[in-house]
């Protein structure tokens, strides 16, 4: 009971991934993209993906 | 809900760190807003799950955001400050 609520977390995490992908896209389009920022955001996306995997396991 | 921090520039030389600190401020504002929401009376179960889901995503973000690399950037910025007379 209550396990289905993990879907809310998955939705929020998925939205965060999309936001960060957009940040990377906008930064990459610049003449001199900030590689440090892009690496940082990529790392955050990996953390969100890991959290989604954990939430999916809890859904089972 | 998407709270933004002030557009005023930060007293930070590194533009990378400046952006990351601005993001940190935005995320902290989000967390505070979520906590305020959790204090509202008569939240439905669905609303609680919604808020907790957002809070979980925010904590994942803060955890990675404030990692050793971020701490090193701040330390580097401090080292680059000129010595005061």
């Amino acid at each position: 009971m209550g396990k289905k609520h993990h879907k809310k977390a998955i939705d929020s995490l998925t939205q965060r991934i999309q936001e960060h992908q957009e940040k990377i896209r906008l930064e990459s389009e610049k003449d001199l993209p900030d590689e440090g920022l892009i690496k940082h955001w990529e790392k955050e996306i990996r953390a969100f993906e890991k959290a989604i995997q954990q939430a999916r396991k809890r859904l089972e | 809900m998407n709270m933004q921090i002030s557009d005023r520039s930060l007293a930070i030389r590194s533009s990378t760190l400046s952006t990351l600190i601005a993001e940190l401020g935005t995320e902290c504002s989000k967390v505070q807003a979520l906590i305020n929401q959790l204090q509202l009376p008569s939240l439905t179960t669905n609303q609680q799950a919604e808020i907790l889901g957002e809070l979980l995503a925010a904590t994942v973000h803060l955890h990675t955001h404030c990692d050793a690399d971020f701490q090193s950037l701040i330390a580097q910025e401090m080292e680059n400050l000129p010595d005061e007379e």
Side-chain angles (χ1 to χ4, degrees), chain A residues 10-26:
Chain A
I10 293 172
D11 291 345
S12 298
L13 290 159
T14 304
Q15 195 187 329
R16 295 305 187 97
I17 289 176
Q18 287 164 356
E19 285 169 8
H20 280 71
Q21 284 171 337
E22 179 65 5
K23 283 183 185 187
I24 291 172
R25 188 186 69 75
L26 291 172

Side-chain angles (χ1 to χ4, degrees), chain B:
Chain B
M1 175 194 57
N2 214 355
M3 297 184 69
Q4 299 294 323
I5 62 166
S6 161
D7 288 336
R8 278 179 295 176
S9 63
L10 299 167
I12 298 290
R13 290 161 191 233
S14 159
S15 64
T16 304
L17 181 61
S18 181
T19 301
L20 294 178
I21 289 177
E23 287 184 354
L24 176 63
T26 302
E27 194 64 66
C28 288
S29 299
K30 277 185 193 170
V31 168
Q32 189 58 63
L34 290 168
I35 293 169
N36 292 344
Q37 286 174 37
L38 280 176
Q39 290 173 325
L40 294 173
S42 313
L43 285 173
T44 64
T45 305
N46 205 42
Q47 286 170 325
Q48 288 176 53
E50 194 91 38
I51 297 165
L52 290 173
E54 290 282 344
L55 190 59
L56 183 83
T59 56
V60 170
H61 188 207
L62 285 176
H63 191 256
T64 307
H65 191 97
C66 298
D67 67 1
D69 289 343
F70 181 66
Q71 294 163 28
S72 295
L73 278 175
I74 295 176
Q76 222 171 347
E77 181 79 13
M78 290 169 72
E79 286 172 17
N80 289 339
L81 288 174
D83 291 327
E84 260 182 332
E85 288 174 18

Side-chain angles (χ1 to χ4, degrees), chain A:
Chain A
M1 204 169 125
K3 279 191 171 187
K4 65 178 175 150
H5 293 310
H6 292 304
K7 175 84 172 48
K8 301 281 186 193
I10 293 172
D11 291 345
S12 298
L13 290 159
T14 304
Q15 195 187 329
R16 295 305 187 97
I17 289 176
Q18 287 164 356
E19 285 169 8
H20 280 71
Q21 284 171 337
E22 179 65 5
K23 283 183 185 187
I24 291 172
R25 188 186 69 75
L26 291 172
E27 187 65 29
S28 301
E29 282 177 356
K30 291 181 181 172
D31 290 337
L32 275 175
D34 186 329
E35 293 300 331
L37 271 182
I38 291 174
K39 274 189 180 175
H40 185 92
W41 290 330
E42 285 172 343
K43 189 167 56 180
E44 289 180 350
I45 287 174
R46 288 196 295 275
F48 293 135
E49 287 170 342
K50 195 176 165 190
I52 287 175
Q53 283 173 12
Q54 286 167 344
R56 282 199 178 125
K57 274 186 193 168
R58 292 190 179 108
L59 265 177
E60 291 168 3

